């Protein structure tokens, strides 16, 4: 038997010197042979901890065993039981904080964990290339009910796919002109190619799900109409409203929110201007504020758009960086600089209303705050200026409010997210379910999907149970906050 390698099987990537000026995918994925070499490293643990740490509880040893045995179709079928979006999760899940963090192989200090995410991606890409999806036969039986899903991000797509498999008629309403949520408008092409997202969405449509784009629920159609016309609905409108530093100079030309910057690039294809209509400012010195995946994506996109110098300003240290570690390593390879323990306090005007620099202060870490992370505090007289013609704030997002403001009956948390039971997705209103970022606040793709999975089970239970006791808009209106 082949000896178990201590390190993960290396994976092909685009050369950093080349990729930093193109938007093509960075990681090129395993070949089947490389995947098998990696699969051999799995210990096939009983009560595998990797499974319990996965928010959708994928049978990880099961699909890895199928790869090892060369049965790719079996691996596809196993994955298909747990996830509707494996090619996406294999690319963007923070595996190092979930399945790979608890992998028993990696618990031995001489070994790296199994590359679970890369193996998931291998199986999913093989399925997309070979049209070898897990089989789901649509039948002609009468549907169990009609469900509306609001928002076509990973949470909405998951609930939609799972309910279609349970023989429901599902209509997904999406405000933008394209479906996929953050997968389409936020995460850049070089990390998650849009053709992959589109193929995964086509798979969900093939289950019988209808997606209607350019429909803003709360404006184009109301929640009253949704409640009257459907047996239940699932709200998954995400948390895409940007937070701002609110420091002097925010209104200067050259100051962007990451939401605007990335949406221009990804959804509106500004990196392909003039082929597409949306232009993007030419920047030379770019400062990105923040330390999450969004900050990495903004910085690496700015580099690809031709900026000479790009730096990330983060108020904590590398140890606390919330971004996926792979993205951090890739960013360093692409010549992104870091100002650790640094916070901006003012954007400086060149006298003509344009940004010319970012005044920052150095920070130190104090005792942990309520989040459990050490609290950054400014160091006196430590101000300095970074030259910049563009700054991109990537300091978190809040709830998308368009729907919420037109539906005051729905109970919200004190942070403005929907109050919903994480085990079922039920909200304060019968028949109205919710999940994903609009419940948790900005989180991860897999958590949003996990919420969709549990809600699908509960919606099915609810609709079957309520067929004799319909909920009307009138009865809902009595349920005031
Ligand atoms: P979303 O993906 O936000 O989708 C919500 C959808 O609802 C949107 O399409 C929106 O247009 C639509 N909508 C809003 N209001 C309405 C309305 N009134 N009517 C109709 N439709 C509406 N997570 C990871 O796990 N790994 C990563 O690497 C990662 N990188 C990220 C990079 C960026 C730039 C961003 C912004 C986020 C990243 N995340 C990452 C987080 C992850 O993408 C989100 O947690 C996830 O997409 C949330 O899914 P969702 O379905 O709840 O909402
Ligand atoms: Fe394999 Fe690691 Fe999961 Fe064990 S914990 S089954 S070694 S992937």
């Amino acid at each position: 038997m082949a000896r178990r390698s201590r390190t993960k099987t290396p994976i092909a990537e685009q050369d950093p010197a080349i990729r930093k000026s193109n938007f093509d995918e960075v990681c090129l994925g395993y070949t089947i042979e490389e995947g098998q070499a990696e699969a051999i490293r799995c210990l096939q643990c009983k009560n595998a901890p990797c499974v319990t740490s996965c928010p959708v509880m994928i049978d990880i040893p099961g699909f890895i065993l199928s790869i090892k045995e060369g049965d790719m179709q079996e691996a596809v079928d196993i994955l298909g039981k747990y996830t509707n979006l494996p090619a996406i999760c294999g690319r963007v899940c923070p595996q190092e904080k979930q399945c790979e963090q608890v992998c028993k192989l990696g618990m031995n200090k001489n070994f790296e964990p199994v590359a679970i995410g890369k193996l998931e991606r291998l199986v999913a890409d093989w399925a997309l290339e070979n049209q070898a999806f897990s089989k789901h036969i649509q039948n002609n039986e009468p549907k169990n009910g009609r469900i509306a899903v609001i928002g076509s991000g990973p949470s909405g797509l998951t609930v939609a796919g799972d309910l279609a498999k349970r023989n429901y008629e599902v209509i997904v309403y999406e405000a933008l002109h394209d479906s996929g949520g953050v997968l389409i408008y936020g995460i850049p092409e070089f990390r998650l190619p849009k053709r992959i997202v589109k193929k995964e969405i086509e798979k969900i449509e093939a289950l019988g799900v209808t997606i209607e784009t350019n429909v803003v629920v709360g404006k184009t159609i109301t929640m009253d109409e949704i409640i009257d016309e459907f047996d239940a609905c699932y709200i998954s409108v995400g948390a895409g409203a940007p937070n701002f530093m609110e420091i002097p100079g925010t209104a200067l030309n050259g100051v962007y929110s990451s939401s605007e910057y990335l949406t221009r690039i990804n959804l509106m294809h500004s990196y392909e201007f003039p082929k597409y209509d949306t232009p993007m400012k030419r920047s030379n010195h770019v400062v990105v504020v923040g330390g999450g995946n969004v900050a990495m994506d903004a910085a690496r996109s700015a580099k690809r758009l031709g900026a000479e110098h790009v730096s990330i300003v983060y108020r904590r240290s590398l140890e606390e960086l919330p971004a996926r570690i792979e993205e951090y390593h890739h960013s360093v390879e692409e010549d992104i600089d870091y100002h650790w323990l640094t916070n901006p306090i003012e954007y400086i005007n060149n006298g003509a209303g344009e940004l010319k620099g970012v005044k920052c202060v150095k920070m130190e870490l104090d005792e942990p705050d309520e989040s459990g992370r050490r609290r950054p505090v400014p160091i006196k007289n430590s101000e300095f200026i970074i030259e910049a013609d563009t700054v991109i704030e990537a300091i978190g997002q809040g709830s998308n409010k368009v729907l919420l403001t037109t539906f005051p009956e729905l109970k919200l948390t004190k942070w403005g997210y929907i109050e919903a039971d994480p085990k079922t997705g039920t909200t304060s209103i019968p028949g109205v379910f919710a999940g994903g970022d609009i419940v948790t606040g900005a989180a991860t793709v897999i958590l949003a999907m996990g919420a969709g999975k549990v809600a699908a089970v509960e919606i099915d239970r609810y609709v079957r149970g309520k067929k004799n006791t319909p909920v009307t808009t009138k009865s809902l209106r009595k349920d005031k906050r």
Side-chain angles (χ1 to χ4, degrees), residues 4 39 41-51 60-62 64 99-100 102-106 113-116 119:
R4 189 169 276 119
R41 298 180 67 238
C42 174
L43 303 169
Q44 291 295 311
C45 310
K46 295 230 160 19
N47 304 321
C50 54
V51 176
I60 293 169
I64 292 182
C99 52
E100 293 184 19
V102 297
C103 171
K104 279 202 184 157
L105 184 66
V114 177
I116 301 169
L119 290 176

Side-chain angles (χ1 to χ4, degrees), residues 302-314:
K303 192 74 179 174
R304 282 161 172 77
L305 287 173
E308 203 178 299
H309 185 250
V310 181
S311 61
I312 290 185
V313 165
Y314 180 51

